[in-house]
Amino acid sequence: MGTSITAMHGTHPVWYLIGTIVAAGVISGLYLGVRDRIVSPNAQVGASDGSDAKTQVEDDALEATQTAKPERPILDFLPDDERRILQPVLASPGLTQIELRDRSDFSKSKVSQTVTDLEKRGLLYREPQGRTYRVYPSDELKHNKSQFFPPD
């Protein structure tokens, strides 16, 4: 009367499971083999094996090379839209978001979103002022202003 489908065509799903487990094992093995090379020198993984003196010497050498490099202003590393919001705030703290909109030529929503992102990262804070906000640089930015403005 009817035909029943008893034969399964194609690869059995168990083979996909076995292949996934083997691939995960190979990738994990490769990672464990090279992780010591890709972990930063300052990170200490696992228990101390008595090489604290060696680690201290490496840390001192790393710190010496980092301080020898000329520091670039942080503004160089920010995207253009964040830089266009942060520079006026650093130059004259307490600007309203409306004034920031005029100075940066961004839309109202773009200014609001960018200020919110910078506030979440701790670079700015804002205080309510009527129907808008006054935007101020964070305390860290105020104290280290020379790091954020490019040298003249």
Side-chain angles (χ1 to χ4, degrees), residues 7 18 22 43 67 78 122 128 135 139:
I18 292 171
V22 169
T67 56
L78 291 175
V135 182
D139 292 335

Side-chain angles (χ1 to χ4, degrees), residues 85-101 103 115 123-130 132-138 142 145:
I85 295 293
L86 196 57
Q87 280 178 330
V89 172
L90 287 170
S92 53
L95 291 174
T96 64
Q97 285 189 198
I98 295 169
E99 293 168 333
L100 277 175
R101 184 185 66 202
R103 290 189 185 191
V115 169
L123 296 172
L124 298 176
Y125 70 93
R126 53 185 166 177
E127 295 176 351
Q129 170 82 33
T132 187
Y133 289 95
R134 288 212 174 267
V135 182
Y136 299 93
S138 68
K142 282 190 251 180
K145 212 173 197 180

Side-chain angles (χ1 to χ4, degrees), residues 50-73:
S51 63
D52 291 336
K54 181 180 176 186
T55 305
Q56 183 63 34
V57 170
E58 290 173 355
D59 289 344
D60 291 343
L62 180 64
E63 187 176 318
T65 58
Q66 287 177 345
T67 56
K69 293 178 186 175
E71 292 186 18
R72 290 178 54 195

